[in-house]
């Protein structure tokens, strides 16, 4: 059974710092991995999607890496801003399912001005 | 706005009542998904449609839950005889390719 874990559960850093969020999964048989952002009481916004054959994806100040063999992904945020404050979730798509995503519980990020 | 929309955004009901939520996917997205999210947790998959066909259902979807997508466009999720444990955010997503796009969710509170 696929399980996805995100550590830490919460993180508070001063504005301007570079930071790394971690996501681990137990079954390496994944189709892809997505990172999402969720603001309080809101839906989910997709940030980056990495296919199983890829090592990393970049979008602006965000960089996501994937090491399928070790069951790990990281989301790197450069030069953090208060507007980056949100909960960040990772989700993996199983290869044996019609697009079903298995989710981590998220990391709540607070960027202090 | 051409994103995924959900209605209502908030629903408060008494235990034992029936509730129905609606999701309008992005136009021409043939795949539609329902998820449930409780506080401090990631979403849990409930069900998946490809066009009007319901192709996958989670074991979380008890017989009190039913979902439809009659014309392959909007979808409804009905919960009968609601229980306090049904209180959660119900999220809808749609896709045409690899990436799922999410709506704002419907927050259900069962008193």
């Amino acid at each position: 059974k696929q399980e996805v874990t995100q550590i830490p559960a919460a993180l508070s850093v001063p504005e301007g710092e570079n930071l790394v969020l971690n996501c681990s999964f137990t079954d390496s048989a994944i189709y892809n991995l997505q990172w999402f952002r969720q603001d309080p009481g809101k839906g989910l916004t997709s940030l980056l999607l990495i296919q199983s054959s890829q090592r990393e994806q970049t979008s602006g100040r965000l960089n996501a890496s994937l090491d399928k063999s070790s069951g790990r992904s990281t989301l790197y945020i450069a030069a953090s801003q208060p507007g980056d404050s949100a909960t960040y979730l990772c989700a993996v798509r199983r290869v044996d399912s019609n697009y079903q995503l298995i989710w981590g519980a998220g990391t709540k990020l607070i960027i202090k001005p | 706005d051409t994103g995924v929309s959900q209605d209502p955004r908030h629903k408060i009901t008494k235990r034992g009542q029936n509730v129905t939520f609606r999701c309008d996917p992005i136009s021409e997205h043939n795949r539609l998904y329902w998820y449930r999210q409780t506080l401090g947790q990631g979403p849990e998959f409930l069900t998946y449609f490809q066009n009007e066909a319901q192709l996958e259902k989670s074991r979380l979807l008890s017989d009190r839950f039913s979902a439809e997508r009659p014309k392959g466009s909007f979808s409804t999720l009905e919960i009968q005889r609601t229980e306090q444990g049904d209180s959660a955010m119900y999220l809808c997503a749609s896709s045409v390719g690899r990436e799922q796009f999410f709506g704002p969710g419907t927050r259900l509170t069962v008193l």
Side-chain angles (χ1 to χ4, degrees):
Chain A
K1 178 188 174 186
Q2 178 72 272
E3 293 182 358
V4 180
T5 304
Q6 292 186 248
I7 295 173
L11 182 63
S12 180
V13 301
E15 179 179 4
E17 280 200 8
N18 303 325
L19 57 98
V20 175
L21 306 180
N22 297 295
C23 172
S24 62
F25 47 95
T26 54
D27 187 345
S28 62
I30 64 169
Y31 186 76
N32 60 35
L33 182 145
Q34 277 185 268
W35 282 93
F36 292 85
R37 169 186 172 137
Q38 187 171 34
D39 293 284
K42 300 285 182 66
L44 295 143
T45 301
S46 178
L47 298 173
L48 290 164
L49 181 151
I50 313 177
Q51 288 296 111
S52 61
S53 59
Q54 297 176 321
R55 297 284 293 182
E56 65 178 337
Q57 283 287 326
T58 298
S59 176
R61 293 183 295 108
L62 304 180
N63 176 277
S65 69
L66 174 64
D67 184 342
K68 204 171 65 163
S69 61
S70 67
R72 293 179 184 176
S73 176
T74 61
L75 179 66
Y76 174 83
I77 303 177
S80 58
Q81 304 170 357
D84 295 331
S85 297
T87 296
Y88 290 80
L89 297 107
C90 69
V92 299
R93 180 189 149 188
R94 292 161 36 190
V95 295
D96 60 344
S97 171
N98 289 322
Y99 308 98
Q100 180 181 156
L101 296 178
I102 308 299
W103 298 77
T107 294
K108 183 176 182 179
L109 177 64
I110 297 174
I111 306 298
K112 296 174 290 186
Chain B
D1 188 342
T2 57
V4 179
S5 62
Q6 293 187 244
D7 184 70
R9 295 291 305 278
H10 304 274
K11 177 71 176 179
I12 300 174
T13 191
K14 294 182 179 180
R15 188 175 52 186
Q17 298 294 305
N18 300 339
V19 294
T20 300
F21 310 141
R22 176 178 170 127
C23 170
D24 286 88
I26 294 172
S27 180
E28 298 179 356
H29 278 196
N30 61 337
R31 303 184 187 110
L32 186 145
Y33 317 79
W34 285 98
Y35 294 87
R36 179 174 69 186
Q37 185 180 27
T38 53
L39 199 62
Q41 299 297 316
E44 296 172 293
F45 170 80
L46 292 178
T47 191
Y48 155 70
F49 289 86
Q50 181 157 322
N51 299 311
E52 67 274 11
Q54 189 174 21
L55 297 185
E56 199 166 335
K57 287 175 61 173
S58 165
R59 282 172 290 180
L60 293 172
L61 217 63
S62 74
D63 56 4
R64 296 187 297 107
F65 288 70
S66 62
E68 295 183 344
R69 194 182 184 198
K71 297 182 180 179
S73 57
F74 73 92
S75 175
T76 58
L77 178 68
E78 181 182 15
I79 308 175
Q80 297 182 326
R81 306 181 303 280
T82 52
E83 301 172 356
Q84 288 184 322
D86 297 331
S87 295
M89 175 79 87
Y90 289 84
L91 295 163
C92 174
S94 70
S95 73
V96 66
R98 299 174 298 199
E99 190 172 353
Q100 295 184 21
F101 296 86
F102 282 78
T106 294
R107 180 164 295 283
L108 172 66
T109 302
V110 181
L111 302 175

